[in-house]
Amino acid sequence: MRFSKFEMMQYDLFANEKGWREIPDFIISREGKKVNTTSDLWNLPYSIDVNNSKLDFSKVSNHNLKWVLKSFVIEKIEKVSTHAGAHHFHDVWREVLRYYEVNSSPDLNDSESNLISIFEHSINTARDKQRLYAMYRPIQWYLYGAEHYPELGFSTVYAQVLETMSIPGNPKGEAVRMEDPDAGPLNHSLELPLLIQALKNDQSNEFVHLQEKAAIALSIAYGRNPANLTYLRHSDLVNLTPDSDASVYVLRIPRIKKRLVNPRDDYIEEYLDATFAEYIHGLINANNAKKAVLYHDGKKIPNPQPIFLNLEGNKAALLSGDYENAYNFSSAMITSLIKGFVKRHNIISPLTKELMHVSARRLRYTLATGLAAEGISKAALAKILDHTDTQHVQVYFELASKIVIQLDKAIAKGFAQYLSFFSGKIIESTEEAINGDNPEKHLVFKGDNVEDEMEDIGVCGESSICHLDPPFSCYL
């Protein structure tokens, strides 16, 4: 149902009589960005996800529901984040209101029963498909409507029913737990080495290929989400020893999902291997050679020099006036780089016999499961993955024991030659040891504390002069 300007004015008058807040011409997001809300099409300053940056309220034909949805989304954008506002809108439309458009009666007086009917249909459908978690945001919208605008078709009684529902969380760890060959971690013995070898052999200096190599290298090294990479800038790569031949690099990685106003408000400094740093240096040099310049309304937009430079400009940032991120990649573009690298090198998985399915998320899983198998603590892994607690890393440790068993089988043959190093005769006294009668071959150790006593820890069996670091390098 569409409304004329006269009907809209009558509706706004009704809203004023109730003391409700009118839909303003613009709002300021929690991140401090201006959002134009004068029309039914809102362009959000959401540069990491261009596909979800547009909110088209014209799809919602019932003006009551549209008005409540706008109010709800405004509250999320202002108080939580632009990300929250965007995803609440898209979830409400996808899970509920698109069905309302098809099934409901145009009679506004019947909107309450229509909306309840659509919600019941959506909940049952989601439950049948085992994706009830997708109804979390739509239910939050209904509870908001029932609390603030029951006159507009929201039943307070039905809201109480929805409020008692138990909504499961999104099963993010299932791909890891089930070792999905297309979505879980890459096989550390069969798949990951193919990716690393292709990266080492790639000598191309084409601009997009340099971007691909940098995306692959950073995803393997850190296992970060694509959004982290979109905010990286040239200045984030720091050489701590500029006057030394042996450079030591750190990368200042912007944080996301930490309820920060801006992802670049906080960083984690991570050590970056010099080999991987070369990929970043190569891309930075290529960026500088491009001398990219964007214009808006005839004015030049300053380039903040992102490492992943979007030569065409970030559409979401440009349309919303978010010029600070106008040159940024979106998350989807980072994923495309990774997939493009695999396709260009035609990397076939030995497990699926098909083109290897690689994404930043899979490489994140791969890093985490590998570290868990090596015995890292939960706290340390959570820190590496930039989680605020350890509950999100549990799934990697559930898989770790199975990975260790597989690794043991794979490397048993290779390590067999070293087992002889640990075979021999066990002795009980210095007299029985080779060089036991030579005081110069006796090894002692003293701890770091002053009160620690000198301890006799063994005898060196070598007859020649040793140039190692006893006792730490000794096999006793």
Side-chain angles (χ1 to χ4, degrees):
M1 173 174 280
R2 305 296 175 187
F3 286 78
S4 67
K5 288 186 177 180
F6 177 72
E7 289 171 317
M8 291 278 287
M9 291 175 63
Q10 284 188 315
Y11 188 85
D12 288 337
L13 181 61
F14 172 66
N16 289 335
E17 290 176 353
K18 293 288 185 178
W20 297 339
R21 176 189 179 185
E22 296 181 12
I23 304 299
D25 292 337
F26 70 90
I27 59 174
I28 303 298
S29 71
R30 183 174 178 268
E31 298 85 0
K33 308 289 186 181
K34 185 176 180 179
V35 181
N36 189 324
T37 56
T38 54
S39 68
D40 280 346
L41 183 62
W42 297 3
N43 291 299
L44 301 185
Y46 192 36
S47 62
I48 64 172
D49 192 352
V50 175
N51 293 331
N52 285 321
S53 64
K54 286 189 177 184
L55 311 188
D56 187 0
F57 288 93
S58 67
K59 297 188 294 186
V60 185
S61 60
N62 184 294
H63 190 62
N64 286 13
L65 302 183
K66 180 196 297 187
W67 197 88
V68 177
L69 182 56
K70 282 185 176 182
S71 298
F72 179 67
V73 171
I74 285 174
E75 180 175 286
K76 293 299 177 183
I77 292 174
E78 289 181 332
K79 296 183 179 180
V80 184
S81 67
T82 303
H83 169 90
H87 283 274
H88 276 84
F89 170 84
H90 291 295
D91 280 10
V92 171
W93 166 256
R94 183 183 64 251
E95 304 298 331
V96 178
L97 290 185
R98 66 183 177 124
Y99 298 118
Y100 190 98
E101 304 303 304
V102 175
N103 298 326
S104 67
S105 164
D107 182 4
L108 285 178
N109 295 325
D110 195 35
S111 61
E112 182 176 301
S113 60
N114 279 333
L115 189 55
I116 292 175
S117 175
I118 298 303
F119 255 89
E120 287 296 295
H121 170 267
S122 299
I123 289 171
N124 290 331
T125 300
R127 185 177 281 119
D128 291 341
K129 294 182 178 180
Q130 297 184 338
R131 56 188 306 275
L132 191 57
Y133 57 87
M135 289 301 297
Y136 175 77
R137 292 188 180 106
I139 287 175
Q140 293 301 306
W141 170 66
Y142 194 97
L143 297 178
Y144 171 87
E147 179 182 357
H148 298 284
Y149 311 108
E151 301 92 336
L152 302 184
F154 294 84
S155 167
T156 54
V157 175
Y158 185 62
Q160 293 174 358
V161 175
L162 292 178
E163 201 165 16
T164 61
M165 283 186 62
S166 177
I167 305 296
N170 188 347
K172 294 181 179 179
E174 286 305 303
V176 179
R177 190 174 287 107
M178 301 303 293
E179 298 179 78
D180 190 313
D182 288 323
L186 297 177
N187 186 289
H188 289 258
S189 302
L190 301 176
E191 294 180 313
L192 184 59
L194 297 178
L195 197 63
I196 294 175
Q197 192 60 43
L199 184 61
K200 289 181 178 178
N201 295 337
D202 193 330
Q203 301 298 319
S204 173
N205 287 318
E206 287 189 32
F207 186 61
V208 67
H209 296 167
L210 294 174
Q211 291 180 321
E212 289 175 357
K213 288 188 284 186
I216 288 283
L218 291 177
S219 296
I220 290 175
Y222 300 125
R224 287 295 196 275
N225 290 305
N228 291 103
L229 305 188
T230 67
Y231 289 109
L232 285 171
R233 294 180 181 172
H234 292 188
S235 57
D236 293 330
L237 180 63
V238 180
N239 184 356
L240 298 180
T241 56
D243 299 326
S244 172
D245 293 335
S247 298
V248 177
Y249 293 96
V250 294
L251 188 67
R252 301 166 67 241
I253 302 179
R255 308 184 74 190
I256 60 173
K257 295 185 177 180
K258 305 305 173 193
R259 293 197 175 275
L260 301 170
V261 173
N262 189 312
R264 292 191 59 83
D265 284 347
D266 191 20
Y267 306 87
I268 291 184
E269 288 193 351
E270 299 279 14
Y271 166 75
L272 183 64
D273 184 87
T275 302
F276 279 13
E278 287 304 312
Y279 296 116
I280 312 305
H281 271 306
L283 181 54
I284 288 175
N285 292 335
N287 289 342
N288 293 333
K290 289 292 180 181
K291 298 180 180 179
V293 177
L294 296 174
Y295 291 88
H296 182 76
D297 292 337
K299 296 181 179 179
K300 179 180 176 181
I301 301 174
N303 186 345
Q305 296 186 308
I307 287 179
F308 292 94
L309 177 63
N310 190 342
L311 297 176
E312 297 180 356
N314 186 292
K315 293 180 179 179
L318 291 171
L319 288 172
S320 63
D322 180 18
Y323 303 132
E324 182 183 2
N325 298 309
Y327 293 83
N328 285 13
F329 263 42
S330 66
S331 294
M333 292 174 71
I334 297 291
T335 300
S336 295
L337 289 178
I338 295 173
K339 293 183 180 297
F341 178 87
V342 175
K343 185 176 181 180
R344 179 162 61 89
H345 288 277
N346 194 32
I347 304 176
I348 304 299
S349 169
L351 302 179
T352 64
K353 309 301 181 184
E354 298 176 351
L355 194 68
M356 194 186 299
H357 179 75
V358 184
S359 64
R361 184 171 292 279
R362 288 200 75 186
L363 293 174
R364 181 175 176 84
Y365 293 160
T366 305
L367 174 67
T369 52
L371 292 173
E374 291 174 7
I376 194 173
S377 70
K378 291 181 181 179
L381 182 57
K383 183 178 181 180
I384 288 173
L385 297 180
D386 198 19
H387 285 308
T388 51
D389 54 53
T390 60
Q391 64 174 332
H392 298 294
V393 302
Q394 176 60 35
V395 64
Y396 303 117
F397 289 87
E398 293 174 8
L399 189 62
S401 58
K402 295 197 294 185
I403 291 178
V404 169
I405 292 173
Q406 294 169 355
L407 290 176
D408 286 346
K409 291 179 179 178
I411 66 177
K413 185 175 180 180
F415 273 104
Q417 58 181 310
Y418 301 109
L419 294 179
S420 60
F421 293 168
F422 299 93
S423 61
K425 178 184 176 183
I426 298 177
I427 61 174
E428 296 183 356
S429 66
T430 302
E431 288 73 19
E432 297 180 60
I434 299 174
N435 296 328
D437 57 348
N438 185 351
E440 294 181 357
K441 291 293 183 179
H442 286 235
L443 298 173
V444 294
F445 177 78
K446 185 179 185 304
D448 295 332
N449 298 323
V450 176
E451 63 272 13
D452 291 341
E453 296 183 0
M454 195 80 73
E455 296 286 345
D456 184 5
I457 61 174
V459 180
C460 177
E462 284 285 345
S463 57
S464 59
I465 297 176
C466 176
H467 297 285
L468 298 178
D469 182 26
F472 304 105
S473 57
C474 296
Y475 162 55
L476 304 175

